[in-house]
Amino acid sequence: MQFPGMVTEAVADAVSGNWVDRFAPEWLKPYARLARWDRPIGWWLLMWPCWWSAALAAEAAGYMLPNIWHLVLFMIGAIAMRGAGCTYNDIVDRNYDGMVERTRSRPIPSGQVSTVQAVIFMILQALAGLVVLLQFNTYTIVLGFCSLVVVAIYPFMKRITYWPQSVLGLAFNWGALVGWSAVFGHLSWAPVALYAGGILWTIGYDTIYAHQDKEDDALIGVKSTARLFGGWTETAVSFLYIGATAFFVLAATLADAGPLAFLGLAVGAIHFIWQIIVLDIDDNDQCLKLFRSNRIYGWIVFTGFVVDGLIANF
């Protein structure tokens, strides 16, 4: 539990000089770290499938631009639900986190926040996400609630399968379905293809991320695709990224996207190739850097979709 005057410890893999460390009051810091506000890459990765889907849906519907209000809601929802999900994950993994070098400084295992305090904070964040979800049509609200099943089981997967990253992909890319349904009130094959591609993308980038913990994971019996692929990681991630690109191309085709959307995907594929070429699975700093670079990939794809729709429907 945090006491007045306690100096909170920064989490090991947080971005140096982040706003939480620099500006947040001491009482807020452990909660901000619990929600990963000091590491925004997570909510970016959760948000991108929502924004991609919204952009593709807008183009399919003949709109010049995606619904700006929807984009704002998706951003707020991504921040809230990523924070709630991370808090839930830390509650479930509190005993494991204390045994891993990179995670032992997290607020719960380090004693900065009690489990009860974490549960209350998780509920508050989930309520914020609920308020966002209720702004959409009924189909989208029901669809959003369905994602909670996947979110609930994810933290336990690393105990029973070497593919927990696949379950993370199911959860993190749900927005590919929601972004489309928010426009049309139903689903079609285009968002399903986008969802499938996003799952492969997530497995790829989170495999790179998981290499930071592979030694500790092996000692405590936690499974991951990083441990499964081992020295074959570059090859495995290459196939995952190829599959992701193929599904994204299929999604754009099914949405009747134009050439600039495919150009964006081609530039994104070059970014994937760069990741594979420079990847060193034994360099933790580089693995973290490459993982974070997927925010740039998100911008590339989104820009291609938006510019294509803007020109096509001008």
Side-chain angles (χ1 to χ4, degrees):
M1 179 177 293
Q2 184 189 5
F3 297 98
M6 173 185 288
V7 177
T8 57
E9 179 183 2
V11 179
D13 59 352
V15 179
S16 59
N18 64 79
W19 76 268
V20 172
D21 292 343
R22 294 173 61 191
F23 303 116
E26 287 299 318
W27 67 267
L28 180 61
K29 286 181 179 178
Y31 294 99
R33 291 166 183 153
L34 200 58
R36 310 293 196 273
W37 294 343
D38 55 338
R39 286 174 284 174
I41 182 59
W43 65 258
W44 278 103
L45 296 176
L46 183 61
M47 184 191 72
W48 279 130
C50 303
W51 278 25
W52 294 343
S53 186
L56 273 184
E59 186 162 10
Y63 304 145
M64 286 182 59
L65 292 170
N67 187 308
I68 302 300
W69 175 236
H70 285 184
L71 297 184
V72 171
L73 289 173
F74 289 142
M75 175 180 287
I76 296 171
I79 295 171
M81 294 311 296
R82 187 263 186 144
C86 288
T87 304
Y88 171 65
N89 189 76
D90 281 9
I91 293 169
V92 174
D93 285 349
R94 59 190 182 278
N95 295 325
Y96 284 92
D97 285 345
M99 295 185 284
V100 176
E101 178 64 30
R102 187 178 59 83
T103 59
R104 66 181 52 172
S105 59
R106 286 179 176 173
I108 298 177
S110 64
Q112 299 173 45
V113 173
S114 71
T115 303
V116 172
Q117 290 171 321
V119 169
I120 294 172
F121 184 52
M122 177 189 68
I123 293 172
L124 292 174
Q125 293 174 93
L127 288 174
L130 175 61
V131 171
V132 169
L133 184 61
L134 293 177
Q135 307 308 305
F136 296 105
N137 58 60
T138 302
Y139 188 97
T140 301
I141 293 171
V142 174
L143 187 63
F145 271 108
C146 290
S147 69
L148 296 179
V149 176
V150 183
V151 173
I153 66 173
Y154 165 66
F156 303 98
M157 292 299 101
K158 68 186 72 173
R159 297 158 170 77
I160 61 177
T161 177
Y162 280 99
W163 289 91
Q165 279 71 24
S166 63
V167 183
L168 181 68
L170 291 172
F172 253 57
N173 291 279
W174 203 266
L177 306 177
V178 171
W180 186 277
S181 70
V183 174
F184 291 107
H186 61 78
L187 292 177
S188 67
W189 286 113
V192 172
L194 190 68
Y195 182 53
I199 292 170
L200 297 180
W201 174 53
T202 298
I203 298 173
Y205 68 62
D206 205 62
T207 295
I208 294 174
Y209 183 81
H211 269 286
Q212 298 174 91
D213 297 330
K214 57 182 179 287
E215 288 85 5
D216 286 331
D217 286 349
L219 289 174
I220 63 179
V222 169
K223 300 176 176 66
S224 70
T225 48
R227 291 188 60 202
L228 176 67
F229 298 151
W232 291 92
T233 291
E234 288 88 347
T235 301
V237 173
S238 296
F239 279 109
L240 288 165
Y241 281 170
I242 290 171
T245 302
F247 274 116
F248 291 155
V249 168
L250 177 60
T253 302
L254 293 171
D256 294 323
L260 292 179
F262 296 101
L263 177 60
L265 291 172
V267 175
I270 294 173
H271 187 277
F272 280 159
I273 293 171
W274 167 76
Q275 288 189 45
I276 299 301
I277 290 175
V278 304
L279 175 61
D280 179 354
I281 60 174
D282 295 317
D283 185 336
N284 289 353
D285 290 339
Q286 189 197 62
C287 286
L288 183 59
K289 176 183 177 181
L290 292 177
F291 167 74
R292 288 174 176 162
S293 76
N294 282 279
R295 180 177 67 173
I296 299 173
Y297 176 80
W299 273 117
I300 293 170
V301 173
F302 180 69
T303 301
F305 288 170
V306 171
V307 174
D308 187 72
L310 182 65
I311 293 177
N313 297 295
F314 184 73

